[in-house]
Amino acid sequence: MRLYVDAPFTSPYALSVFVTLREKGLAFEVHTLDLDALEQQAPAFAGLSVTQRVPTLAQDGFALSESSAITEYLEDVFPQVPVYPREPRQRARARQIQAWLRSDLLPIRQERSTLVVFYGVKYGPLSTSAQAAADKLIAAAQHWLAAGDDYLFGQWSIVDVDLALMLNRLILNGDPVPAPLVAYAQRQWQRPSVQAWVNQVRPTL
């Protein structure tokens, strides 16, 4: 398998797929694309990924983009090491949380890019709209982790990484986040599969 990701390794969505592949113990090659140089529009990649997006996973003549589609595909094809809950309602909740993190909270993504997480960049105070989004994120995370659980669903899932990444946009910038959520995010971040992504060699800004 071949996984296409962004050259600076800052995409939270590429991270999610990379971690899934590592957790499942699957052999794969990583290929980087310089999105600023529009390498995703080059004919070779555009012919592989019709939507010209990363991450894209290629396997035996089949190519798939959109991170949650890829991780769910990998779960279906390689179920031996699960990265989603098995119980149907928990699995539905996991999909809900993933979809929400990808479609909502735009002000956080705009004002706390993943350069905070992977390059140590610091930004100024949150705007009113971004603070409202941060409050919404924190309230939701506290609801789902109300018992101070180590994981969202009793044991680790890929959704824990997705939620920790969003929390780390705030935490690593120095924005106030409740201590239990900081501990939760730090716990997910120390997972070897996540550290393998964190420790990738990145080009200088």
Side-chain angles (χ1 to χ4, degrees), residues 22-35:
R22 292 286 296 238
E23 290 287 339
K24 288 182 172 293
L26 300 172
F28 66 102
E29 299 175 352
V30 173
H31 288 250
T32 60
L33 295 174
D34 185 340
L35 304 185

Side-chain angles (χ1 to χ4, degrees), residues 1 4-5 21 42 49 77 90 96 105 116 128 132 140 152 158 169 185 203:
M1 283 185 286
Y4 293 86
V5 306
L21 288 162
S49 176
V77 177
Q90 285 192 336
Q96 174 202 334
L105 309 171
V116 170
T128 301
L152 286 164
I158 190 58
R169 291 174 185 264

